[in-house]
């Protein structure tokens, strides 16, 4: 084999390998990142929740106050306006949705 054929073969292989590589899912710790927030308003009838929250890492969102949909009405049980919470939100079908929420541990 001459040098030109070797270079052509190496080039072809370097292009082909990434095309067949399997995507690597993010570690479990990154897929369920919890964000701290405070409940500002609960609209159970419409399945909405207003939260003042810190940065939401998995959505690359800065801290702010905003309204979220809740994935399930059961998520609203056990929390009330003014509660400090930890929650997980995702963009589901283009809608920011809280998929998990829990009252934050109170300092003693």
């Amino acid at each position: 084999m001459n040098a030109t054929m070797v270079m052509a073969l190496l080039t072809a292989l370097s292009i082909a390998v990434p095309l067949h590589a399997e995507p690597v899912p993010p570690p479990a710790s990154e897929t369920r990142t919890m964000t701290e927030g405070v409940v500002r308003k609960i609209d159970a009838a419409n399945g909405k929740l207003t939260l003042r929250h810190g940065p939401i890492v998995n959505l690359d969102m800065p801290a702010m106050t905003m309204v979220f949909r809740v994935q399930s009405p059961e998520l609203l049980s056990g929390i009330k306006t003014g509660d400090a919470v930890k929650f997980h939100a995702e963009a589901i079908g283009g809608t920011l949705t809280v998929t998990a929420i829990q009252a934050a541990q109170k300092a003693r």
Side-chain angles (χ1 to χ4, degrees):
M1 255 199 250
N2 65 28
T4 305
M5 288 180 69
V6 170
M7 287 302 293
L9 180 60
L10 290 174
T11 301
L13 287 174
S14 69
I15 293 171
V17 171
L19 295 176
H20 298 290
E22 293 293 320
V24 177
S29 62
E30 290 180 25
T31 61
R32 207 56 178 178
T33 304
M34 299 296 272
T35 302
E36 293 181 359
V38 176
V39 178
R40 304 308 260 168
K41 182 179 177 184
I42 296 173
D43 181 358
N46 293 304
K48 294 181 181 179
L49 180 64
T50 303
L51 295 170
R52 185 182 77 216
H53 62 80
I56 302 176
V57 176
N58 62 303
L59 296 175
D60 194 27
M61 182 180 293
M64 65 179 77
T65 298
M66 63 180 296
V67 178
F68 293 86
R69 286 245 177 245
V70 291
Q71 189 171 40
S72 168
E74 291 81 27
L75 291 174
L76 298 175
S77 65
I79 61 169
K80 62 186 182 313
T81 301
D83 280 355
V85 295
K86 289 190 179 237
F87 69 98
H88 180 78
E90 297 178 20
I92 299 176
T95 302
L96 295 174
T97 305
V98 171
T99 59
I101 191 166
Q102 63 191 32
Q105 298 291 333
K106 295 181 181 181
R108 294 180 190 199

